[in-house]
Amino acid sequence: MESANITSLDYYTAKAMLEWQVEFGVDEAISEQPVNRFEVKPEPKKAVKPVAAPAVEAGPAPVAPSVDGAALARDAAMSAQTVAELKTVLSGFEACELKRGARNLVFEDGVIGSRVMVIGEAPNRDEDREGKPFVGDMGLLLDNMLKAVGLGRSENVYVTSAIPWRLPRGGDVGADDLAMLRPFLERHVALAKPDVLVLMGNIACQAVLGKRGIARMRGQWAEAMGLPVIPMLHPEYLLNNPLKKRDAWADLLALKSKLEETT
């Protein structure tokens, strides 16, 4: 039988013939290019995942060199040639953290060049607010004590604080802060040129003598910074312990006697 002319087939006949071939498993048309079914095809290349470079352990972060606050303080203090210059230098000294929590620098009061230099502790709230040592009720008590032996800060007494900035509430001064601030205190004494130092309270004793125990040390003469030194009870302590004023009176008489000896 002569094969039918495919081009003459109508749509429905051609569709029926294709469906018949599919039914018998013919599911692929013949390509114009021959295909070798027996050819061994290479396996497709697998994608290679990039391998991260091994992490390099970083060494310890460089440590900033620690600042020697005491050395900075010595250099700063020695640059001052007068008490006024020392106050300016101390006001601009940024290495001591105590400055950050204080309102004012509490530096001095009285007459520079007096024979007696009184060194108090750290400023309280009133001293911090006014920027002067020994103010308020304890300042009035100090003035009365000095007056009883012929002294006065408006005439012949010069006063300062061992710590020029108020301590954090409830805090105590640390050894590092004391070491940092001591050069300023030493320079202050050298520039003020007193004959006698009066240390009022434990912090003043620690700053100058390197030890505490005011109840034990009070009234006993020592030497520091090239001068005779006498520890005394702080006026604020005396306000809270009036019976101790008798001891303070004995210490004031000892101070008066020393001044008469060195006239």
Side-chain angles (χ1 to χ4, degrees):
M1 179 178 177
E2 186 177 343
S3 61
N5 187 357
I6 296 178
T7 59
S8 64
L9 295 176
D10 61 69
Y11 168 78
Y12 295 101
T13 301
K15 181 175 183 293
M17 292 179 67
L18 287 173
E19 289 175 349
W20 179 81
Q21 294 184 58
V22 169
E23 185 177 350
F24 278 88
V26 180
D27 58 359
E28 184 177 352
I30 298 175
S31 171
E32 294 181 356
Q33 299 295 330
V35 177
N36 185 359
R37 300 291 182 180
F38 299 97
E39 181 183 2
V40 179
K41 296 182 179 180
E43 294 184 2
K45 294 183 179 180
K46 295 181 180 180
V48 179
K49 294 182 179 180
V51 179
V56 179
E57 294 186 4
V63 178
S66 58
V67 176
D68 188 343
L72 291 176
R74 282 193 297 271
D75 293 341
M78 291 305 297
S79 70
Q81 302 304 311
T82 65
V83 171
E85 288 181 8
L86 184 64
K87 183 177 182 179
T88 299
V89 169
L90 186 54
S91 296
F93 188 70
E94 299 295 335
C96 185
E97 289 297 322
L98 295 178
K99 180 181 180 180
R100 315 258 188 279
R103 182 179 299 180
N104 286 305
L105 173 73
V106 179
F107 186 67
E108 50 81 30
D109 192 23
V111 180
I112 298 174
S114 296
R115 297 188 64 200
V116 176
M117 185 172 183
V118 176
I119 301 176
E121 298 192 307
N124 63 15
R125 182 181 59 185
D126 294 335
E127 292 171 302
D128 179 47
R129 183 176 60 248
E130 296 192 27
K132 292 173 61 175
F134 296 102
V135 299
D137 291 341
M138 71 168 179
L140 181 61
L141 177 56
L142 174 63
D143 291 338
N144 289 334
M145 290 167 59
L146 295 173
K147 184 178 179 181
V149 289
L151 300 172
R153 59 173 135 178
S154 62
E155 304 162 6
N156 50 17
V157 172
Y158 184 61
V159 298
T160 188
S161 297
I163 306 299
W165 293 293
R166 187 184 182 189
L167 300 176
R169 181 176 298 180
D172 196 2
V173 62
D176 290 343
D177 288 327
L178 276 173
M180 190 183 306
L181 294 171
R182 182 181 169 88
F184 290 106
L185 184 58
E186 291 177 333
R187 189 60 175 162
H188 200 169
V189 171
L191 294 172
K193 300 179 180 178
D195 292 336
V196 174
L197 293 179
V198 177
L199 309 180
M200 288 193 159
N202 269 320
I203 294 179
C205 289
Q206 186 177 0
V208 176
L209 299 175
K211 56 185 177 180
R212 296 194 180 197
I214 187 63
R216 181 182 67 257
M217 294 188 295
R218 54 144 291 271
Q220 299 182 29
W221 287 97
E223 185 170 334
M225 300 183 182
L227 296 171
V229 174
I230 184 170
M232 290 189 186
L233 299 172
H234 196 279
E236 191 167 22
Y237 175 82
L238 295 174
L239 287 174
N240 297 319
N241 300 273
L243 295 179
K244 293 294 183 178
K245 290 182 180 179
R246 179 175 58 184
D247 294 335
W249 174 243
D251 298 343
L252 287 168
L253 291 177
L255 172 61
K256 181 180 180 181
S257 177
K258 176 67 72 173
L259 291 173
E260 290 174 349
E261 291 174 6
T262 58
T263 300

